[in-house]
């Protein structure tokens, strides 16, 4: 299957991350109400942050190497670009063995620049961890990684956008506890069926309780939830008392179906709005 090229003005691809909202990000950002501060507690590849990073946003994720990567984009973009260019050359010269050496190094010391390289060159760009938290996806034989010059452009565009953002590696509940009336929160938790692809998972009852707290404190939120792929529904509904509107956004094609060589299915996702 051909990869769809992003539309003009779309979020530049920087860190490949499973569950990325690149295809819906502009739409989600357009729906955002006026707000004092933007908060994104399940950051991943941060597609929506790209649009809403202005004005001192707060962005966090439980996975520390991912936050380390975003801090590099923010504070050391040239270093990140040079590191990637070197890794790209080593892969070209040394072949797949280089990928596996980086994977081993990453599992030992969690260097954020290595996470970026692995995500760009692993099978279908899918995040996958073993039970003890080791990155265990394999090398994508036909994949040589994005050309360094293109990666450099993406890093520059992103770095300029996220200068005022406060990044933190923490559980979403800690991030939500710090929100104030007038903030806007976008939540994109992992799907119920995909916990093994990320470090950590979330308990739905705890998530709903946290949303209820936001409502009581006048913090508006939007939640991507209950992924559907074809006829398969991945999770339960959000309790109706918590939200005002439910929209359905088409998010693209399933990378997982692609990996399993199943039929290519359209993925659409519900977006719940609290206001
Ligand atoms: C579906 S992804 C987010 C994708 C993102 N919207 C994007 O555009 O790339 C979900 C993220 O939640 C993170 N996560 C999982 N459990 C978490 C928790 N308890 N607190 C904060 N983040 C968590 C995962 O590490 C993963 O990056």
């Amino acid at each position: 299957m051909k990869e769809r090229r992003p539309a003009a003005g779309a979020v530049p691809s920087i860190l490949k991350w499973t569950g990325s909202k690149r295809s819906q990000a502009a739409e989600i950002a357009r729906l955002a109400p006026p707000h004092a501060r933007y908060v994104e507690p399940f950051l991943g590849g941060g597609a929506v942050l790209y649009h809403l990073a202005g004005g001192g946003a707060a962005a966090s994720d439980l996975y520390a190497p991912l936050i380390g990567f975003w801090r590099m984009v923010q504070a050391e973009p040239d270093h990140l670009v040079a590191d990637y260019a070197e890794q790209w050359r080593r892969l070209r010269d040394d072949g797949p063995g280089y990928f596996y050496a980086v994977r081993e190094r990453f599992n030992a010391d969690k260097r954020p620049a290595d996470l970026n390289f692995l995500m760009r060159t692993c099978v279908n760009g899918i995040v996958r961890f073993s039970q003890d938290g080791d990155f265990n996806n394999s090398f994508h034989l036909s994949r040589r990684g994005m050309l360094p010059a293109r990666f450099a452009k993406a890093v520059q565009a992103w770095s300029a956008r996220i200068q005022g953002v406060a990044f933190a590696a923490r559980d979403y509940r800690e991030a939500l506890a710090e929100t104030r009336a007038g903030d806007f929160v976008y939540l994109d938790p992992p799907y119920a069926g995909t916990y093994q692809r990320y470090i950590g998972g979330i308990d739905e009852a705890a998530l709903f309780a946290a949303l209820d707290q936001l409502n009581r404190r006048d913090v508006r939120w939007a939640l991507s939830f209950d992924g559907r792929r074809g006829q398969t529904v991945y999770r339960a509904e959000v309790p109706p008392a918590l939200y005002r509107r439910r929209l359905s956004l088409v998010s693209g094609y399933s990378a997982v179906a692609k990996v399993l060589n199943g039929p290519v299915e359209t993925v659409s996702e519900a977006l719940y709005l609290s206001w």
Side-chain angles (χ1 to χ4, degrees):
M1 188 180 77
K2 274 199 166 172
E3 222 173 50
R4 289 190 312 167
R5 294 186 73 78
V11 183
S13 169
I14 184 169
L15 180 74
K16 269 188 158 293
W17 204 247
T18 311
S20 162
K21 291 297 177 296
R22 276 179 79 209
S23 60
Q24 311 169 24
E27 180 69 6
I28 294 171
R30 195 183 59 73
L31 289 163
H35 52 273
R37 193 175 57 133
Y38 175 61
V39 179
E40 187 166 347
F42 295 99
L43 184 62
V48 178
L49 179 71
Y50 187 78
H51 294 279
L52 297 177
S60 51
D61 196 287
L62 192 59
Y63 191 47
L66 176 86
I67 293 301
F69 170 81
W70 285 117
R71 289 190 169 129
M72 277 188 91
V73 175
Q74 184 181 48
E76 304 174 87
D78 296 343
H79 180 188
L80 178 63
V81 165
D83 189 287
Y84 178 73
E86 172 61 17
Q87 300 223 49
W88 187 88
R89 271 192 296 273
R90 292 283 306 271
L91 179 67
R92 185 194 57 192
D93 298 346
D94 302 353
Y98 182 68
F99 173 93
Y100 291 103
V102 173
R103 191 175 80 172
E104 203 177 319
R105 181 171 73 188
F106 176 72
N107 286 332
D109 65 14
K110 304 288 187 291
R111 223 171 62 97
D114 284 345
L115 176 66
N116 170 56
F117 173 77
L118 293 173
M119 290 312 302
R120 293 234 146 261
T121 50
C122 70
V123 172
N124 288 315
I126 290 183
V127 199
R128 216 181 60 195
F129 298 106
S130 69
Q131 287 213 320
D132 25 335
D134 281 353
F135 184 91
N136 68 359
N137 201 352
S138 320
F139 179 58
H140 192 129
L141 272 177
S142 61
R143 193 165 279 191
R144 323 194 73 185
M146 179 189 272
L147 288 173
R150 189 156 161 233
F151 181 69
K153 271 196 180 157
V155 171
Q156 279 148 14
W158 266 98
S159 188
R161 290 258 175 157
I162 61 174
Q163 282 307 305
V165 176
F167 290 100
R170 59 184 175 182
D171 184 83
Y172 76 99
R173 281 165 295 186
E174 259 182 75
L176 296 186
E178 280 182 7
T179 56
R180 303 180 288 266
D183 288 348
F184 169 60
V185 184
Y186 169 61
L187 305 104
D188 185 18
Y191 292 155
T194 64
Y195 287 168
Q196 73 282 9
R197 292 199 195 103
Y198 304 109
I199 295 290
I202 57 143
D203 172 78
E204 288 180 4
L207 174 67
F208 298 151
L211 295 177
D212 183 49
Q213 282 302 314
L214 295 182
N215 288 342
R216 288 171 198 274
R217 301 207 317 275
D218 272 338
V219 175
R220 288 177 173 182
W221 51 264
L223 169 72
S224 290
F225 205 68
D226 88 346
R228 265 161 216 275
R229 199 171 73 232
Q231 294 308 305
T232 318
V233 177
Y234 279 101
R235 64 197 323 177
E237 293 292 309
V238 178
L242 286 177
Y243 65 92
R244 290 278 175 77
R245 287 177 285 167
R246 180 187 186 282
L247 313 177
S248 187
L249 304 184
V250 172
S251 58
Y253 301 106
S254 169
V256 176
K258 194 169 137 190
V259 172
L260 301 175
N261 293 322
V264 175
E265 297 166 311
T266 304
V267 180
S268 78
E269 276 188 11
L271 184 73
Y272 293 84
L273 306 178
S274 73
W275 71 99

